[in-house]
Each structure stands twice: as structure tokens, then as C-alpha cells.
Amino acid sequence: MAETLTLMPGQIDRPTLQHLYRDEATVRIDPGCKAAVDAAAEIVAAAAAGDEAVYGVNTGFGKLANTRISQEETARLQRNLILSHSAGVGEPLHRSIVRLMIILKMLSLGRGASGARWEVIDTLGQLLAKDVVPVVPSQGSVGASGDLAPLAHLTAVLIGEGEAWWQGEMVPGGEAMAAAGITPLALGPKEGLAMINGTQCSTALALAGLFRAKRLLKSALVTGALSVDATLGADTPFIEAIHTLRGHRGQIDVAAAQRNLLDGSDIRASHVDCSRVQDPYSIRCQPQVMGACLTLLRQSAETLHIEANAVTDNPLVIVADRAIYSGGNFHAEPVAFAADQIALALSEIGALSERRIALLVDPVMSELPAFLTPDPGVNSGFMAAEITAAALAAENKQRATPASIDSLTTSANQEDHVSMATHGARRLHDMADNLGRIVGIELLCAAQGVDFRKPLKTSTPLAAVMARLRAVVPELGEDRYMAPDIATAAEIVQSGGVVEAAGADLLPDLI
């Protein structure tokens, strides 16, 4: 049985968010929040029975906000909202993303400012506990007014509609709920709106992208250090004094990691007095470039941590005022900016890694055999692998174009500026796939280069990384079918095997 974590809305920390994404825990909202949730729901119920127009409670939605809805039609209003807005298209989001969406929505509703009943939060928790995973199409949200289509598909299952994954099969939502023993909800006043207004889809996608970027940045620090040794690079550019004088925390942390990774290398000690004055930028400027990427990821982590704890639907119930206020917390511009920052970092990490791969296969620059094969000519070695890395880096550069600066007016000009946060965050996963393969190719090339430096040895941490690789991918002699080697190396990178082998304590943390 999966563990059950008790979460306090507004207080979830960053490591817990990562744990919830990766380990599929079941959660519940702290029962102490129920009083605030109930109080807000009572205010909404009173508004639904009153004469004053309150958006989304007794009015239509968007451009139809001036259309009054009778108390008798409230339930139909909320149900129709979910059905009509279940208009997403494209491949379904991965179950880990959908489960994180559910958790984020529970946290938001649990703040007691949305007006939804405790029963809604409880039913969401039952989906997690019984592993009913709504089928949520990946396309259809512009990131304002909230992630309407994705969250509508999630909510459809709550009311016995839509589709869900149940015991490995895609089945009608009502069938999944019945099989799991969960009673579908009859939505009360504002509850449909509270469910689909919000940034939980874009935030879940961006958080997942951040978690992958964190691991990939650390892996690229390791392969970058391995490339330093493979190319007989200097460690002088990593000395602390250089980076302290500039003062950027990310740069300082990356330089410290490089020093730790290279400490004790016999290869480095063998060429301290060589004639080379300076290394190419892809070797020498790793702290400056990777440090800037680290800073971007830290900034986006802060934004997404705040958003994960936020209330992002509309209107909001302020219990202390016994009032309901219309605002715009559903606008996902902060998430869009964070996703753009992560995309920039993923692109630049890959761009630098690709340049090191190109350096390694160039015999003039690296002083290694051409294309890292012991018998160039009849063998092509890593020639095509470098081309693959260039192609992937180029793709990521194109995908790094900011999504947040785009906007298309929707809902008959009522929603006249949108964030595009959702697809801005969704692209991060393709970019992370590409980056994992680029870094995997660098791992293969750098390890091959270090092998050519025998009998000299690299540092203890980097030797452990090479041992992890060589356990599954042997040194390249005669040309062989290359694709499986790349796939295996990329999996070591994506799974965290590179970081684990080097020693996670040697590398800077992000969140």
C-alpha cells in the first residue's frame, strides 16, 4: 500500500513536491483545514441563494458573465461547465503529471478560499488512494483563465464522466469510479469553476520539467569534468578566487563542484607545466555558463514553489470579510516565465555539452585520435554520434523560444491576454529527453577520451562514473552498432546514475 502523507496547504516544501512527483504517494489534506473550507463553502451557498450577482456562482462564465442563473439551475451550470470545457486534444499526459495535478488542486482548495466543499477534496484524495487516474489530453490550454481544458478532463471523472486509467486500461470515468468504489460528485455552487480555474496543470508540468533539469544539470557537470581530463584541460579556471570576485552564487557553486570532481586526478597532474595557455570556452567557462543555468533553475524553483502553495481560481472567498471577490489569480504568467527560464537552461546546458563533444572528436583540439577511434579511417568512431548531438542541441535551441511572449485573445475578447504557460511547460519534457541524450553522448566520448590517457588515471569520483558506464558499455574499439550505446548512456544520465556514481554530495543542490 502506498504511503499516505498529510499535507498542510500553503506550507508544502520543495523536497516534498519532488517526492510526490517521483514516488506516487497518497495524500490527504490536514483535517485542521476543514473548518476554513466549510466556512468558505457556506458563504458560496448563501451567495447562490441570494439576489446579488456573483461571478461563477449564479452567473454564466467568461463572456457570459452577465447572464444570471437561477438557484435551481446551479448544479446544471457547474456540470455543463465541466462537460463543455472537456475539449482537450492530443496525447494523454503521463500519470505522474496527472497525479501531481490532483495533489496541487487539493492543496489549493484546502486553503479555504475557493468555496468548494470538503467532499470535493476528499474525493480527489480517493482518486489517488485507489489509483483512478483521469485521462487528460495534453493540448488545449492557453494558461488563462487557468488550465481550463486539462482540469475539466480531470474533473469529468469526479462526476462520473470522461475517461480514466484503471488497472492499466483506459475506461469510461464512471466505470472506473464504480470499480474503485468511489461515489461520483454532484457539484455544488462554484465547485466546477473552482476545479477548472487554476494553474495546476501548467505548474505540474513545469515542476516535472524542473526536477528533470536539476538532475541533468548535475549530470552535465560530471561529464563536463570528465571532458576536462579527456582533453587535458586545466583546472585553474575553477579556482575559488576567480569566481568569488564575480560574486554569482551559481557560478561559485559550479566551480566548487568542478574542483571536487577533478581533485586527485593523475591526468591533471601530468600536464601542469604544458605549453597550452588557455582551453576553449566549453571547457574553461563551465562555471560561468553552467552557473548561470543553475541560477535560472533556482529562480524558477522559487516561483513554482510559491505557485504550488497558491490559490489560483476565481472568484475567491475571503472568509474574514464574508465576501467573494473577482480577481485574476488563474493567469499563469509566473509559471510561463518559470517554464521559459527552465527551457533556456536546458538549451544552454546542451549547447555547452555538444561543443565539448565536438572538441573531443577533433584530433587537433583534443590531441586524441580522430573521432575517438583507435584506428581512424576504416573506423568512424563517434563521428555520427557527434552529429546526433548537434541535431538534438539545435532542436532544443528552437524549442527554447519563449512561450510567454505569445498571446492569442480567447472567449470573444473577454480573455484578451493569456500566458501560454501550459505548452511552455509541456515542451520541457521533450527538451529534457534531448538533453539526456546529448549528455549521454558526452559521457561516452569523454570516457573514451580518458581511456586513451591510460595508464594515467582520472579522479576517484570520475573513475566511479566511468566504472558505472563500463559495466554496461565497453570501450569502443572496432566500430559497432552505435544506437544501443547512446540509449544506454542516456538512461544512466536520466536515471541519476551519473550523479549517484560521482557522489551527490559533491554537487550543488537546486531545491
Side-chain angles (χ1 to χ4, degrees), residues 226-247:
L226 201 59
S227 291
V228 171
D229 256 3
T231 59
L232 301 180
D235 58 3
T236 303
F238 309 135
I239 66 171
E240 185 176 7
I242 292 174
H243 307 287
T244 300
L245 282 169
R246 195 173 196 185

Side-chain angles (χ1 to χ4, degrees), residues 150-169:
L151 290 170
H153 282 276
L154 188 159
T155 308
V157 175
L158 289 183
I159 63 174
E161 300 287 349
E163 294 177 305
W165 295 105
W166 170 250
Q167 297 185 344
E169 295 185 9

Side-chain angles (χ1 to χ4, degrees), residues 91-151:
E91 291 297 311
L93 294 175
H94 191 273
R95 57 177 284 121
S96 60
I97 298 293
V98 178
R99 287 179 64 93
L100 186 55
M101 286 170 61
I102 293 171
I103 293 169
L104 294 176
K105 180 56 74 174
M106 292 172 67
L107 287 166
S108 183
L109 297 180
R111 294 284 297 273
S114 299
R117 294 164 297 154
W118 188 259
E119 183 181 357
V120 177
I121 299 171
D122 181 68
T123 305
L124 286 168
Q126 289 184 60
L127 294 185
L128 297 173
K130 299 182 180 180
D131 203 29
V132 175
V133 181
V135 174
V136 178
S138 57
Q139 295 172 280
S141 174
V142 295
S145 151
D147 294 319
L148 296 173
L151 290 170

Side-chain angles (χ1 to χ4, degrees), residues 150-300:
L151 290 170
H153 282 276
L154 188 159
T155 308
V157 175
L158 289 183
I159 63 174
E161 300 287 349
E163 294 177 305
W165 295 105
W166 170 250
Q167 297 185 344
E169 295 185 9
M170 187 187 296
V171 300
E175 182 180 322
M177 295 283 277
I182 305 173
T183 302
L185 283 172
L187 295 172
K190 193 187 172 290
E191 289 179 342
L193 188 60
M195 282 297 303
I196 72 171
N197 247 198
T199 65
Q200 285 76 33
C201 180
S202 53
T203 301
L205 285 165
L207 281 168
L210 173 68
F211 300 146
R212 294 188 68 187
K214 167 187 175 179
R215 179 175 283 174
L216 290 167
L217 181 140
K218 290 183 175 185
S219 297
L221 291 180
V222 176
T223 57
L226 201 59
S227 291
V228 171
D229 256 3
T231 59
L232 301 180
D235 58 3
T236 303
F238 309 135
I239 66 171
E240 185 176 7
I242 292 174
H243 307 287
T244 300
L245 282 169
R246 195 173 196 185
H248 291 296
R249 185 75 256 165
Q251 178 178 328
I252 291 168
D253 289 345
V254 167
Q258 297 285 18
R259 293 195 301 273
N260 291 335
L261 290 165
L262 288 163
D263 185 43
S265 168
D266 293 339
I267 296 174
R268 172 61 194 130
S270 72
H271 64 94
V272 171
D273 297 323
C274 70
S275 59
R276 188 187 305 172
V277 178
Q278 289 190 132
D279 296 312
Y281 290 176
S282 61
I283 296 293
R284 180 171 23 127
C285 297
Q286 290 185 70
Q288 289 78 8
V289 177
M290 296 293 280
C293 293
L294 176 56
T295 297
L296 281 180
L297 294 181
R298 284 174 169 166
Q299 290 171 349
S300 62

Side-chain angles (χ1 to χ4, degrees), residues 414-474:
Q414 177 73 8
E415 298 162 4
D416 58 354
H417 182 277
V418 299
S419 72
M420 301 299 182
T422 314
H423 69 259
R426 177 164 47 84
R427 68 176 158 168
L428 300 177
H429 301 278
D430 288 338
M431 294 184 71
D433 287 344
N434 285 346
L435 179 54
R437 294 175 183 124
I438 295 169
V439 177
I441 292 170
E442 183 181 13
L443 175 61
L444 292 170
C445 291
Q448 183 85 355
V450 168
D451 280 331
F452 277 122
R453 303 302 182 187
K454 292 175 181 175
L456 295 173
K457 296 179 179 179
T458 189
S459 67
T460 298
L462 296 180
V465 173
M466 289 190 59
R468 173 71 180 85
L469 175 67
R470 291 290 175 245
V472 288
V473 180

